[in-house]
Amino acid sequence: MKGSSTTGPSRRQRVRDATLRELVSVSREILTTQGVEALTIRAVAREMGMTPPGVYRYFDSHRALLDAVIVAILDELTEFVVTRVGEVDEADAAGRLVVASRALRRWGVEHPREFHLSLVVSPPEEEDQAVGRARRQVGKLFGEIFAGAWRDYGSASPAPWPREPRIEPLAERLVRILEVTMPSTAAAAAFTRCWMRLYGMVCLESLGLPRVVGDEEGDLFEAELAELARTLGLPEAALDTGR
């Protein structure tokens, strides 16, 4: 009888992978409880019971450690939105867009420090490939959901987006980067404006700025979302989806 062979990772690799996951988890805990300034190789080593050189065997620089944390954060954000959208009927393109938007806001507000770290963008020539992929997957997810809503409602909206020739090249570049197929240039431009406005609102709210004027429940975000829904011609009932 021939001995069986395995193609899975070796024990050494499994131990290394487990240590990598723990290093990222500990790094994130430091980030959320103490802030990004406290997230140093020395601090992580202390929490792990390792020496700084031991951590450097897994991450060759502080930047590499931050990049690994950013990837984990963006993966979690994407999975959270995917899970919430998965609760909506695939045929309900308008409801899926509304739910995805609210899921983005909820995650950003509940994880402000992680959300801020995920916004750190390196110059394109310096950005880690894994970070770039993780960052694009969030935009790609929204782009694909938006494209579905546009096909069903946007192209026949009673209050269409006015054409803005200045942003059309930027919009085409964005959907190309995200590898999203839009029904038209108008759809790409509308997506770009929607994405920037909603993402911008989440950034502001995660910073706590709306609370300065007493907005504790995301009323400003909801007003922005409702206006975008009207402009896209989404049915009013879509705003009740997932509530």
Side-chain angles (χ1 to χ4, degrees), residues 33-49:
T33 58
Q34 302 177 50
V36 68
E37 299 82 5
L39 181 49
T40 64
I41 294 290
R42 185 172 297 279
V44 173
R46 183 169 57 249
E47 291 296 323
M48 289 285 294

Side-chain angles (χ1 to χ4, degrees), residues 61-181:
S61 66
H62 180 254
R63 179 71 254 181
L65 175 62
L66 282 178
D67 285 344
V69 175
I70 291 173
V71 169
I73 288 169
L74 290 170
D75 283 347
E76 181 181 304
L77 168 58
T78 302
E79 183 59 30
F80 181 77
V81 176
V82 166
T83 299
R84 296 304 302 273
V85 171
E87 298 169 358
V88 182
D89 191 318
E90 288 188 12
D92 184 4
R96 289 166 70 84
L97 181 59
V98 168
V99 167
S101 301
R102 287 179 176 147
L104 173 68
R105 174 195 171 268
R106 177 178 168 184
W107 197 94
V109 170
E110 292 181 353
H111 303 83
R113 282 178 166 166
E114 293 102 315
F115 191 77
H116 298 159
L117 181 60
S118 76
L119 297 175
V120 177
V121 179
S122 302
E125 65 276 8
E126 297 179 12
E127 184 174 64
D128 178 76
Q129 290 186 357
V131 172
R133 285 193 300 271
R135 201 184 304 283
R136 288 191 296 272
Q137 73 188 3
V138 180
K140 180 178 176 65
L141 171 62
F142 271 83
E144 291 173 343
I145 294 171
F146 182 93
W150 181 271
R151 280 189 289 266
D152 288 355
Y153 302 99
S155 58
S157 169
W161 292 92
R163 186 182 175 197
E164 293 284 358
R166 292 175 299 175
I167 72 167
E168 287 178 0
L170 305 178
E172 292 290 353
R173 189 177 306 150
L174 176 62
V175 298
R176 187 167 59 250
I177 290 171
L178 298 179
E179 299 179 348
V180 175
T181 300

Side-chain angles (χ1 to χ4, degrees), residues 9-23:
S10 65
R11 182 178 182 281
R12 176 178 293 181
Q13 186 61 49
R14 292 197 301 273
V15 170
R16 178 176 176 81
D17 291 345
T19 303
L20 278 168
R21 288 193 294 271
E22 188 175 358
L23 284 166

